[in-house]
Amino acid sequence: MAYRDAILKASALHPKPADRVFQYGTAGFRMKADLLDSVVFRVGLLAALRSRKMGGQTIGVMITASHNPPEDNGVKLVDPMGEMLEGAWEAHATLLANAATDEALLEAYTKLEETLKLKPDTPSRVIFARDTRASGPALVDALSDALTATESEYTDHRLLTTPQLHYIVRCLNTDGTQQEYGEPSERGYYEKLAEAFRRAIKDHKPNGSVVVDCANGVGGPKLRELIRHLPTVQEGGVEIKIVNDDIAKPESLNHQCGADFVKTQQRSPPSSQAGPLTRSASLDGDADRIVFYFVDADKVFHLLDGDKIATLVASFIGDLARSAGLADELKVGVVQTAYANGSSTAYVTKSLKLPVVCTPTGVKYLHHAATKFDIGVYFEANGHGTVVFSDAALKALATHEPQSPAQNTALENLRALSDLINQTVGDALSDLLLVEVILAHKTWGPQEWDHTYTDLPNRLVRVEVPDRNMFKAVDAERRLEAPQGVQGQIDALVGKYKEGRSFARASGTEDAVRVYAEAATRSEADDLAQKVATVVKQGGQ
């Protein structure tokens, strides 16, 4: 077949580096950009196969390395409903990426065609975008070469946030169906969020401004464009002050700014001009996560991370469901990982009286568990998360007959939130507006939000080990079944500390184990973490 010759010819332009082994994970492929040329070409081949397997539905490809430094880049696929690539296909991605020669690549490709029972006349459709990294355009060329060789229909959306690409993929594949998600364009994204924000905030005035650090990434220009569609302050909108939006210098991306910097350093970006008690937020490099924070009158830094966002959102949605008369119809739940602070879990279960499910680390696990609720709220502590409404929940919101004006108001607010929230994936811009709506309704500033519960002091320690594969975790990564005896020692240590909790989890990318510990005081959390780290170190010998 002609396309097989085309694949061979194109592959020769993108040779695989020798002695390199690539692994597709939760974040797709991510590494130093100069190693990615062959990988991105082969991801293009996989995108074509995936689209054909899905009957010609549109597949997305995003070129980004999120919060990583500027010299890195990455690539990942987006499935038809805007979700992450189906887990079983990660092995196919890894297989193609590691084919040693052009001929071996073609053989692997054609074998996949046979295994997947693909019909030769099924078309493939792919859209793609990238973030602001300097390496992006060259990697787009590699991707385009693969899509041309496979005779795919494709569209280059140039610069987008990762969630915008997820949104457009879903819109394209639901266009004209009962699940229609919106206008499949960047403009459609802004208009949908802006219109839903107007409905959701309505007569509730935001309390002051919010300063948003855009990590000198793609979120900067996209937030500026979104603001053009939002109501002005005079029209009842929120004043959004943007900092760190310099995309003219790619080397400034994520440098001493962004969500990961704030979360790990536990301080504001040095460039932040926010005064005491000013709401501040930081996006990451591709705008799929957000954290909030403020400095109090005594100049003490307070982080409002993914746990605090999840509890704020779950509280508001739970209250609205009750006020709308839908408490019996809509099961609202929260999904967390083992890294969620114990105080947040206790607050959800005891104060909000909502169920909590714990999953292994990784967005794909959280998102899947959230779909088991009528309205599932999930956020990782790092600020990546969203809210998922089931088809049954959306139907209930559309058909429920309110019995009073108060019920009607609550119902209208829930409907607005279902449009404001980007349900495909964590979206910093959507989540920013969601938080602003909730704070306006509650007439809260950042301090009132922070006071909902107090985080238990915690510590995260990295322990180098000879072989991370020795450490096997179970129970949503909260317990170790191997090496034998290690979990028993951890349990014995935890029992000695008030409100103590600790677990050890092998890294997915390096020979290291991450130990998390929390306890009633800072010194006890530090002490427990170090003692568990010692047990892990000895167990890994």
Side-chain angles (χ1 to χ4, degrees), residues 51-63:
S51 177
R52 288 169 60 195
K53 179 63 178 176
M54 303 306 288
Q57 287 187 290
T58 300
I59 296 297
V61 179
M62 186 69 200
I63 296 174

PDB file of all heavy atoms in Angstrom, residues 51-63:
ATOM      1  N   SER A  51      -7.903   6.925  15.804  1.00  0.00           N
ATOM      2  CA  SER A  51      -9.069   7.512  15.149  1.00  0.00           C
ATOM      3  C   SER A  51      -9.798   6.469  14.303  1.00  0.00           C
ATOM      4  O   SER A  51     -11.033   6.381  14.344  1.00  0.00           O
ATOM      5  CB  SER A  51      -8.651   8.704  14.280  1.00  0.00           C
ATOM      6  OG  SER A  51      -9.754   9.236  13.594  1.00  0.00           O
ATOM      7  N   ARG A  52      -9.038   5.677  13.558  1.00  0.00           N
ATOM      8  CA  ARG A  52      -9.655   4.621  12.733  1.00  0.00           C
ATOM      9  C   ARG A  52     -10.361   3.595  13.615  1.00  0.00           C
ATOM     10  O   ARG A  52     -11.459   3.124  13.287  1.00  0.00           O
ATOM     11  CB  ARG A  52      -8.603   3.957  11.854  1.00  0.00           C
ATOM     12  CG  ARG A  52      -8.119   4.861  10.717  1.00  0.00           C
ATOM     13  CD  ARG A  52      -6.900   4.277  10.030  1.00  0.00           C
ATOM     14  NE  ARG A  52      -7.148   2.971   9.437  1.00  0.00           N
ATOM     15  CZ  ARG A  52      -6.199   2.133   9.028  1.00  0.00           C
ATOM     16  NH1 ARG A  52      -4.911   2.493   9.147  1.00  0.00           N
ATOM     17  NH2 ARG A  52      -6.506   0.974   8.498  1.00  0.00           N
ATOM     18  N   LYS A  53      -9.742   3.245  14.743  1.00  0.00           N
ATOM     19  CA  LYS A  53     -10.358   2.281  15.662  1.00  0.00           C
ATOM     20  C   LYS A  53     -11.668   2.825  16.216  1.00  0.00           C
ATOM     21  O   LYS A  53     -12.612   2.080  16.480  1.00  0.00           O
ATOM     22  CB  LYS A  53      -9.394   1.967  16.818  1.00  0.00           C
ATOM     23  CG  LYS A  53      -9.942   0.983  17.853  1.00  0.00           C
ATOM     24  CD  LYS A  53     -10.219  -0.386  17.250  1.00  0.00           C
ATOM     25  CE  LYS A  53     -10.707  -1.370  18.305  1.00  0.00           C
ATOM     26  NZ  LYS A  53     -11.068  -2.676  17.700  1.00  0.00           N
ATOM     27  N   MET A  54     -11.741   4.155  16.373  1.00  0.00           N
ATOM     28  CA  MET A  54     -12.946   4.795  16.911  1.00  0.00           C
ATOM     29  C   MET A  54     -13.897   5.223  15.797  1.00  0.00           C
ATOM     30  O   MET A  54     -14.720   6.124  15.966  1.00  0.00           O
ATOM     31  CB  MET A  54     -12.573   6.008  17.767  1.00  0.00           C
ATOM     32  CG  MET A  54     -11.628   5.703  18.923  1.00  0.00           C
ATOM     33  SD  MET A  54     -12.195   4.383  20.011  1.00  0.00           S
ATOM     34  CE  MET A  54     -13.544   5.192  20.860  1.00  0.00           C
ATOM     35  N   GLY A  55     -13.753   4.582  14.634  1.00  0.00           N
ATOM     36  CA  GLY A  55     -14.700   4.812  13.544  1.00  0.00           C
ATOM     37  C   GLY A  55     -14.576   6.164  12.875  1.00  0.00           C
ATOM     38  O   GLY A  55     -15.548   6.700  12.336  1.00  0.00           O
ATOM     39  N   GLY A  56     -13.363   6.738  12.915  1.00  0.00           N
ATOM     40  CA  GLY A  56     -13.147   8.026  12.271  1.00  0.00           C
ATOM     41  C   GLY A  56     -13.433   9.223  13.160  1.00  0.00           C
ATOM     42  O   GLY A  56     -13.443  10.367  12.686  1.00  0.00           O
ATOM     43  N   GLN A  57     -13.670   8.974  14.455  1.00  0.00           N
ATOM     44  CA  GLN A  57     -13.844  10.100  15.374  1.00  0.00           C
ATOM     45  C   GLN A  57     -12.528  10.863  15.517  1.00  0.00           C
ATOM     46  O   GLN A  57     -11.442  10.324  15.284  1.00  0.00           O
ATOM     47  CB  GLN A  57     -14.306   9.595  16.748  1.00  0.00           C
ATOM     48  CG  GLN A  57     -15.754   9.117  16.778  1.00  0.00           C
ATOM     49  CD  GLN A  57     -16.196   8.799  18.197  1.00  0.00           C
ATOM     50  OE1 GLN A  57     -15.747   7.836  18.787  1.00  0.00           O
ATOM     51  NE2 GLN A  57     -17.083   9.620  18.735  1.00  0.00           N
ATOM     52  N   THR A  58     -12.640  12.120  15.905  1.00  0.00           N
ATOM     53  CA  THR A  58     -11.453  12.973  16.025  1.00  0.00           C
ATOM     54  C   THR A  58     -10.682  12.656  17.298  1.00  0.00           C
ATOM     55  O   THR A  58     -11.257  12.554  18.385  1.00  0.00           O
ATOM     56  CB  THR A  58     -11.851  14.454  16.030  1.00  0.00           C
ATOM     57  OG1 THR A  58     -12.527  14.749  14.797  1.00  0.00           O
ATOM     58  CG2 THR A  58     -10.636  15.354  16.174  1.00  0.00           C
ATOM     59  N   ILE A  59      -9.369  12.523  17.150  1.00  0.00           N
ATOM     60  CA  ILE A  59      -8.441  12.315  18.269  1.00  0.00           C
ATOM     61  C   ILE A  59      -7.586  13.580  18.411  1.00  0.00           C
ATOM     62  O   ILE A  59      -7.241  14.219  17.416  1.00  0.00           O
ATOM     63  CB  ILE A  59      -7.538  11.085  18.007  1.00  0.00           C
ATOM     64  CG1 ILE A  59      -8.376   9.813  17.935  1.00  0.00           C
ATOM     65  CG2 ILE A  59      -6.445  10.958  19.069  1.00  0.00           C
ATOM     66  CD1 ILE A  59      -9.103   9.445  19.214  1.00  0.00           C
ATOM     67  N   GLY A  60      -7.250  13.941  19.631  1.00  0.00           N
ATOM     68  CA  GLY A  60      -6.413  15.105  19.872  1.00  0.00           C
ATOM     69  C   GLY A  60      -4.984  14.723  20.220  1.00  0.00           C
ATOM     70  O   GLY A  60      -4.749  13.669  20.808  1.00  0.00           O
ATOM     71  N   VAL A  61      -4.040  15.564  19.837  1.00  0.00           N
ATOM     72  CA  VAL A  61      -2.642  15.401  20.240  1.00  0.00           C
ATOM     73  C   VAL A  61      -2.171  16.739  20.814  1.00  0.00           C
ATOM     74  O   VAL A  61      -2.257  17.766  20.134  1.00  0.00           O
ATOM     75  CB  VAL A  61      -1.728  14.985  19.073  1.00  0.00           C
ATOM     76  CG1 VAL A  61      -0.284  14.846  19.548  1.00  0.00           C
ATOM     77  CG2 VAL A  61      -2.206  13.671  18.447  1.00  0.00           C
ATOM     78  N   MET A  62      -1.700  16.724  22.046  1.00  0.00           N
ATOM     79  CA  MET A  62      -1.210  17.947  22.700  1.00  0.00           C
ATOM     80  C   MET A  62       0.289  17.841  22.930  1.00  0.00           C
ATOM     81  O   MET A  62       0.765  16.861  23.500  1.00  0.00           O
ATOM     82  CB  MET A  62      -1.926  18.152  24.041  1.00  0.00           C
ATOM     83  CG  MET A  62      -1.587  19.465  24.710  1.00  0.00           C
ATOM     84  SD  MET A  62      -2.281  20.881  23.807  1.00  0.00           S
ATOM     85  CE  MET A  62      -1.252  22.221  24.430  1.00  0.00           C
ATOM     86  N   ILE A  63       1.008  18.859  22.456  1.00  0.00           N
ATOM     87  CA  ILE A  63       2.460  18.917  22.656  1.00  0.00           C
ATOM     88  C   ILE A  63       2.742  19.906  23.782  1.00  0.00           C
ATOM     89  O   ILE A  63       2.607  21.121  23.611  1.00  0.00           O
ATOM     90  CB  ILE A  63       3.180  19.312  21.349  1.00  0.00           C
ATOM     91  CG1 ILE A  63       2.956  18.229  20.283  1.00  0.00           C
ATOM     92  CG2 ILE A  63       4.679  19.530  21.589  1.00  0.00           C
ATOM     93  CD1 ILE A  63       3.506  18.571  18.912  1.00  0.00           C
TER      94      ILE A  63
END
